[in-house]
Amino acid sequence: MNTERRTEVAALAGVAVRTGRLDLVPLAVAHADEMAGVLADPALHAFIGGAPLTAPELRARYERLVAGSPDPAVVWCNWAVRLRAEDRLTGTVQATVTDGGRTAEVAWVIGTAWQGRGIAREAAEGLVGLLLERGVRTVVAHVHPDHTASAAVARAAGLAPTDEVQDGEVRWELRP
């Protein structure tokens, strides 16, 4: 990725996104304490494995994410999802941008207490919209075949399932 395009793509990580009910705010280490509570339910790991991180573990993870990818061809963009009506964080969305800024792999997680309210859908739509505005040509997500809620989010964001399966997850794509 040339230096100018990398700078442009890296700037995505600092862009706030406002949707009807949400603010996607650039992830900060300071979010770790609140997010540790949001993400504390072990059920969130049913499809992705692992266990909830403690506040110090999440703080260390956010420090790595905020520092950015060590690979100059990869840009990490991470946002905390703030529900304005409750003035609280409810989850995160992320995009890993590669291929000279033309491809982004996206993911989302919303705390159990806020699921079923369309927050993941709205956040994913906002994220994908931002990526497309900024020149991303292919948006990819990987969804466990039994995770119907996450599949619905991917579909609402404009992605469609492919026949490709990686690590037990279906590859979803949007190619505008």
Side-chain angles (χ1 to χ4, degrees):
M1 181 178 324
N2 69 40
T3 305
E4 183 177 311
R5 181 65 176 144
R6 178 168 170 65
T7 301
E8 180 182 322
V9 171
L12 276 172
V15 173
V17 178
R18 186 174 176 93
T19 68
R21 299 176 296 158
L22 308 173
D23 291 319
L24 308 184
V25 295
L27 187 69
V29 176
H31 294 136
D33 289 337
E34 184 176 356
M35 286 303 300
V38 170
L39 303 175
D41 186 350
L44 289 174
H45 297 269
F47 293 104
I48 60 173
L53 298 178
T54 64
E57 291 169 331
L58 205 52
R59 197 171 306 109
R61 176 173 169 72
Y62 288 0
E63 285 172 358
R64 288 189 304 276
L65 292 174
V66 169
S69 171
D71 182 343
V74 176
V75 176
W76 293 340
C77 303
N78 296 275
W79 293 266
V81 177
R82 180 172 298 284
L83 181 60
R84 281 192 304 277
E86 296 180 16
D87 190 29
R88 67 171 298 134
L89 300 179
T90 60
T92 62
V93 292
Q94 64 186 43
T96 300
V97 184
T98 59
D99 191 25
R102 292 181 297 273
T103 302
E105 182 159 344
V106 299
W108 46 84
V109 62
I110 299 298
T112 306
W114 297 274
Q115 291 180 3
R117 295 166 56 180
I119 293 171
R121 176 197 45 77
E122 188 173 330
E125 289 173 344
L127 172 60
V128 169
L130 172 67
L131 294 169
L132 295 177
E133 283 174 13
R134 298 301 174 98
V136 169
R137 304 254 189 271
T138 303
V139 179
V140 175
H142 288 89
V143 178
H144 190 283
D146 296 331
H147 199 325
T148 55
S150 197
V153 169
R155 191 174 316 288
L159 285 76
T162 69
D163 293 332
E164 189 175 335
V165 176
Q166 292 178 303
D167 298 325
E169 295 183 324
V170 176
R171 179 183 172 101
W172 288 66
E173 286 187 6
L174 168 63
R175 293 179 185 253

